[in-house]
Structure formats: C-alpha cells, structure tokens
Amino acid sequence: VQLQASGGGVVQAGGSLRLSCETSGHTFSGHIVGWFRQVPGGEREFVAAIRWNSRHTSYEDSVKGRFTISRDNAKNTVYLQMNSLKPEDTAVYYCAADRNVISSTMRDVRAYDNWGQGTQVTVSS
C-alpha cells in the first residue's frame, strides 16, 4: 500500500491544519490507518488512528479534544484535523496503514508496515 501524506505547514499557536493521507491504486478497507509524529532526535510517537471499516478511533492523550481523525470512503483518504495547535505539536507527521493491526496494537509504531513520506508541521509561538 503506497501512502501520500500532505497538508503540513507553518501556523501560529492556536491555529489549525488538516493533514491528508491518500492511497492510490489500493483501498483502505480492512486497514487501520494511523498518524504518528516525530521530532528530530526523538522517537516516532502515536497521535491518532482509525479503523477504516468500523470508524473506531483512538487518540493520544495530549491531542484529545483538539485533533480529529476521520475518513472519506469515496476519496479513500484519511484526515487529521488539528485545531488549537501548540508549539509542542511541531513535528514531522507520518501516516501509516496495515491490515494486520489489531485494536490492542494500533498505538504501536512497530505494528505498521506501510508508511507515507511525512509532512512537516511547525507551530510558532
């Protein structure tokens, strides 16, 4: 599964961005699609994930109430709407997808085999 992440940019604290994760030539049906982020020198960490078929979602505690993950079946795209952005949200954001991820491992970066190229999000104070 080839993934294309987009939508990053520079925004002031309190602003919003919407990231997109698209797949071409494939479908997300049966997959869990996750968003992760990574700062220089840091580990890639879980942000949010959605089970395509059931729309079950999961969020990292620091983004709950600010970020929303959703999917568009017709466009075969997963979105991450990020509101009330903070400087600590600055990172490269990656989307990932896998058919074999289960609910208990959807927060684990090691559970995903398919990754997009990353998109930079910079939040200025």
Side-chain angles (χ1 to χ4, degrees):
V1 177
Q2 290 187 322
L3 306 178
Q4 179 75 30
S6 62
V10 180
V11 64
Q12 289 189 329
S16 299
L17 284 172
R18 188 178 77 162
L19 306 183
S20 299
C21 179
E22 300 179 73
T23 182
S24 58
H26 298 86
T27 175
F28 280 135
S29 180
H31 288 71
I32 285 182
V33 181
W35 284 98
F36 293 79
R37 63 188 179 187
Q38 187 171 21
V39 299
E43 294 185 353
R44 196 165 295 187
E45 63 177 20
F46 173 77
V47 176
I50 185 168
R51 181 178 290 280
W52 185 265
N53 290 9
S54 69
R55 300 193 184 189
H56 168 72
T57 59
S58 180
Y59 295 92
E60 195 270 329
D61 286 347
S62 70
V63 307
K64 283 181 180 177
R66 300 188 299 122
F67 291 11
T68 303
I69 189 169
S70 63
R71 56 97 157 157
D72 186 321
N73 189 47
K75 295 183 178 180
N76 217 26
T77 299
V78 171
Y79 301 103
L80 184 68
Q81 178 66 43
M82 305 186 295
N83 299 328
S84 302
L85 282 162
K86 304 176 181 180
E88 51 263 43
D89 294 318
T90 295
V92 177
Y93 283 69
Y94 298 89
C95 65
D98 205 284
R99 293 185 62 90
N100 298 313
V101 177
I102 59 177
S103 295
S104 61
T105 60
M106 65 195 304
R107 294 169 172 251
D108 189 344
V109 65
R110 298 167 298 178
Y112 295 81
D113 285 340
N114 306 292
W115 291 86
Q117 82 287 6
T119 183
Q120 175 71 46
V121 171
T122 302
V123 184
S124 61
S125 57

PDB file of all heavy atoms in Angstrom, residues 77-91:
ATOM      1  N   THR A  77      -9.322   8.412   1.575  1.00  0.00           N
ATOM      2  CA  THR A  77      -8.411   9.332   2.250  1.00  0.00           C
ATOM      3  C   THR A  77      -8.743   9.385   3.735  1.00  0.00           C
ATOM      4  O   THR A  77      -9.915   9.348   4.121  1.00  0.00           O
ATOM      5  CB  THR A  77      -8.533  10.745   1.649  1.00  0.00           C
ATOM      6  OG1 THR A  77      -8.188  10.685   0.259  1.00  0.00           O
ATOM      7  CG2 THR A  77      -7.607  11.730   2.346  1.00  0.00           C
ATOM      8  N   VAL A  78      -7.713   9.463   4.548  1.00  0.00           N
ATOM      9  CA  VAL A  78      -7.852   9.682   5.986  1.00  0.00           C
ATOM     10  C   VAL A  78      -7.341  11.080   6.302  1.00  0.00           C
ATOM     11  O   VAL A  78      -6.292  11.490   5.795  1.00  0.00           O
ATOM     12  CB  VAL A  78      -7.082   8.620   6.787  1.00  0.00           C
ATOM     13  CG1 VAL A  78      -7.050   8.977   8.269  1.00  0.00           C
ATOM     14  CG2 VAL A  78      -7.727   7.256   6.589  1.00  0.00           C
ATOM     15  N   TYR A  79      -8.090  11.787   7.130  1.00  0.00           N
ATOM     16  CA  TYR A  79      -7.738  13.158   7.501  1.00  0.00           C
ATOM     17  C   TYR A  79      -7.376  13.228   8.978  1.00  0.00           C
ATOM     18  O   TYR A  79      -7.887  12.465   9.795  1.00  0.00           O
ATOM     19  CB  TYR A  79      -8.900  14.109   7.238  1.00  0.00           C
ATOM     20  CG  TYR A  79      -9.349  14.147   5.800  1.00  0.00           C
ATOM     21  CD1 TYR A  79     -10.499  13.477   5.394  1.00  0.00           C
ATOM     22  CD2 TYR A  79      -8.619  14.851   4.848  1.00  0.00           C
ATOM     23  CE1 TYR A  79     -10.912  13.506   4.070  1.00  0.00           C
ATOM     24  CE2 TYR A  79      -9.026  14.892   3.522  1.00  0.00           C
ATOM     25  CZ  TYR A  79     -10.174  14.219   3.140  1.00  0.00           C
ATOM     26  OH  TYR A  79     -10.574  14.248   1.830  1.00  0.00           O
ATOM     27  N   LEU A  80      -6.521  14.177   9.304  1.00  0.00           N
ATOM     28  CA  LEU A  80      -6.254  14.523  10.692  1.00  0.00           C
ATOM     29  C   LEU A  80      -6.481  16.032  10.806  1.00  0.00           C
ATOM     30  O   LEU A  80      -5.659  16.824  10.352  1.00  0.00           O
ATOM     31  CB  LEU A  80      -4.840  14.149  11.116  1.00  0.00           C
ATOM     32  CG  LEU A  80      -4.533  14.396  12.593  1.00  0.00           C
ATOM     33  CD1 LEU A  80      -5.346  13.438  13.473  1.00  0.00           C
ATOM     34  CD2 LEU A  80      -3.043  14.240  12.878  1.00  0.00           C
ATOM     35  N   GLN A  81      -7.623  16.400  11.358  1.00  0.00           N
ATOM     36  CA  GLN A  81      -7.922  17.803  11.602  1.00  0.00           C
ATOM     37  C   GLN A  81      -7.289  18.203  12.924  1.00  0.00           C
ATOM     38  O   GLN A  81      -7.602  17.611  13.959  1.00  0.00           O
ATOM     39  CB  GLN A  81      -9.433  18.032  11.649  1.00  0.00           C
ATOM     40  CG  GLN A  81      -9.845  19.463  11.942  1.00  0.00           C
ATOM     41  CD  GLN A  81      -9.469  20.424  10.834  1.00  0.00           C
ATOM     42  OE1 GLN A  81      -9.646  20.126   9.650  1.00  0.00           O
ATOM     43  NE2 GLN A  81      -8.937  21.587  11.211  1.00  0.00           N
ATOM     44  N   MET A  82      -6.414  19.193  12.871  1.00  0.00           N
ATOM     45  CA  MET A  82      -5.680  19.607  14.058  1.00  0.00           C
ATOM     46  C   MET A  82      -6.068  21.038  14.393  1.00  0.00           C
ATOM     47  O   MET A  82      -5.798  21.963  13.620  1.00  0.00           O
ATOM     48  CB  MET A  82      -4.173  19.508  13.812  1.00  0.00           C
ATOM     49  CG  MET A  82      -3.727  18.123  13.351  1.00  0.00           C
ATOM     50  SD  MET A  82      -1.934  17.962  13.238  1.00  0.00           S
ATOM     51  CE  MET A  82      -1.582  19.129  11.941  1.00  0.00           C
ATOM     52  N   ASN A  83      -6.723  21.211  15.520  1.00  0.00           N
ATOM     53  CA  ASN A  83      -7.141  22.531  15.991  1.00  0.00           C
ATOM     54  C   ASN A  83      -6.394  22.897  17.269  1.00  0.00           C
ATOM     55  O   ASN A  83      -5.801  22.042  17.916  1.00  0.00           O
ATOM     56  CB  ASN A  83      -8.646  22.542  16.257  1.00  0.00           C
ATOM     57  CG  ASN A  83      -9.470  22.257  15.021  1.00  0.00           C
ATOM     58  OD1 ASN A  83      -9.091  22.596  13.899  1.00  0.00           O
ATOM     59  ND2 ASN A  83     -10.621  21.620  15.216  1.00  0.00           N
ATOM     60  N   SER A  84      -6.440  24.174  17.616  1.00  0.00           N
ATOM     61  CA  SER A  84      -5.793  24.663  18.836  1.00  0.00           C
ATOM     62  C   SER A  84      -4.351  24.168  18.924  1.00  0.00           C
ATOM     63  O   SER A  84      -3.915  23.663  19.969  1.00  0.00           O
ATOM     64  CB  SER A  84      -6.585  24.212  20.073  1.00  0.00           C
ATOM     65  OG  SER A  84      -7.912  24.677  20.015  1.00  0.00           O
ATOM     66  N   LEU A  85      -3.646  24.311  17.832  1.00  0.00           N
ATOM     67  CA  LEU A  85      -2.285  23.798  17.770  1.00  0.00           C
ATOM     68  C   LEU A  85      -1.368  24.520  18.751  1.00  0.00           C
ATOM     69  O   LEU A  85      -1.517  25.720  19.019  1.00  0.00           O
ATOM     70  CB  LEU A  85      -1.744  23.921  16.350  1.00  0.00           C
ATOM     71  CG  LEU A  85      -2.253  22.844  15.386  1.00  0.00           C
ATOM     72  CD1 LEU A  85      -2.057  23.268  13.945  1.00  0.00           C
ATOM     73  CD2 LEU A  85      -1.549  21.518  15.664  1.00  0.00           C
ATOM     74  N   LYS A  86      -0.417  23.753  19.287  1.00  0.00           N
ATOM     75  CA  LYS A  86       0.548  24.257  20.250  1.00  0.00           C
ATOM     76  C   LYS A  86       1.962  24.085  19.685  1.00  0.00           C
ATOM     77  O   LYS A  86       2.187  23.202  18.853  1.00  0.00           O
ATOM     78  CB  LYS A  86       0.426  23.471  21.558  1.00  0.00           C
ATOM     79  CG  LYS A  86      -0.959  23.470  22.167  1.00  0.00           C
ATOM     80  CD  LYS A  86      -1.010  22.583  23.400  1.00  0.00           C
ATOM     81  CE  LYS A  86      -2.399  22.559  24.016  1.00  0.00           C
ATOM     82  NZ  LYS A  86      -2.458  21.682  25.226  1.00  0.00           N
ATOM     83  N   PRO A  87       2.908  24.878  20.169  1.00  0.00           N
ATOM     84  CA  PRO A  87       4.294  24.701  19.682  1.00  0.00           C
ATOM     85  C   PRO A  87       4.803  23.276  19.868  1.00  0.00           C
ATOM     86  O   PRO A  87       5.584  22.787  19.041  1.00  0.00           O
ATOM     87  CB  PRO A  87       5.071  25.701  20.533  1.00  0.00           C
ATOM     88  CG  PRO A  87       4.082  26.792  20.816  1.00  0.00           C
ATOM     89  CD  PRO A  87       2.776  26.081  21.008  1.00  0.00           C
ATOM     90  N   GLU A  88       4.359  22.607  20.908  1.00  0.00           N
ATOM     91  CA  GLU A  88       4.817  21.233  21.139  1.00  0.00           C
ATOM     92  C   GLU A  88       4.231  20.233  20.156  1.00  0.00           C
ATOM     93  O   GLU A  88       4.613  19.055  20.158  1.00  0.00           O
ATOM     94  CB  GLU A  88       4.509  20.787  22.571  1.00  0.00           C
ATOM     95  CG  GLU A  88       3.077  20.995  23.013  1.00  0.00           C
ATOM     96  CD  GLU A  88       2.912  22.289  23.795  1.00  0.00           C
ATOM     97  OE1 GLU A  88       3.481  23.332  23.375  1.00  0.00           O
ATOM     98  OE2 GLU A  88       2.188  22.264  24.826  1.00  0.00           O
ATOM     99  N   ASP A  89       3.310  20.666  19.307  1.00  0.00           N
ATOM    100  CA  ASP A  89       2.813  19.798  18.237  1.00  0.00           C
ATOM    101  C   ASP A  89       3.740  19.808  17.023  1.00  0.00           C
ATOM    102  O   ASP A  89       3.538  19.044  16.080  1.00  0.00           O
ATOM    103  CB  ASP A  89       1.417  20.241  17.791  1.00  0.00           C
ATOM    104  CG  ASP A  89       0.368  20.066  18.866  1.00  0.00           C
ATOM    105  OD1 ASP A  89       0.378  19.021  19.549  1.00  0.00           O
ATOM    106  OD2 ASP A  89      -0.475  20.978  19.033  1.00  0.00           O
ATOM    107  N   THR A  90       4.740  20.679  17.042  1.00  0.00           N
ATOM    108  CA  THR A  90       5.691  20.754  15.937  1.00  0.00           C
ATOM    109  C   THR A  90       6.424  19.431  15.766  1.00  0.00           C
ATOM    110  O   THR A  90       7.005  18.909  16.714  1.00  0.00           O
ATOM    111  CB  THR A  90       6.699  21.879  16.182  1.00  0.00           C
ATOM    112  OG1 THR A  90       6.012  23.134  16.180  1.00  0.00           O
ATOM    113  CG2 THR A  90       7.776  21.890  15.102  1.00  0.00           C
ATOM    114  N   ALA A  91       6.365  18.883  14.556  1.00  0.00           N
ATOM    115  CA  ALA A  91       6.975  17.583  14.277  1.00  0.00           C
ATOM    116  C   ALA A  91       6.762  17.257  12.804  1.00  0.00           C
ATOM    117  O   ALA A  91       6.012  17.945  12.104  1.00  0.00           O
ATOM    118  CB  ALA A  91       6.352  16.484  15.134  1.00  0.00           C
TER     119      ALA A  91
END
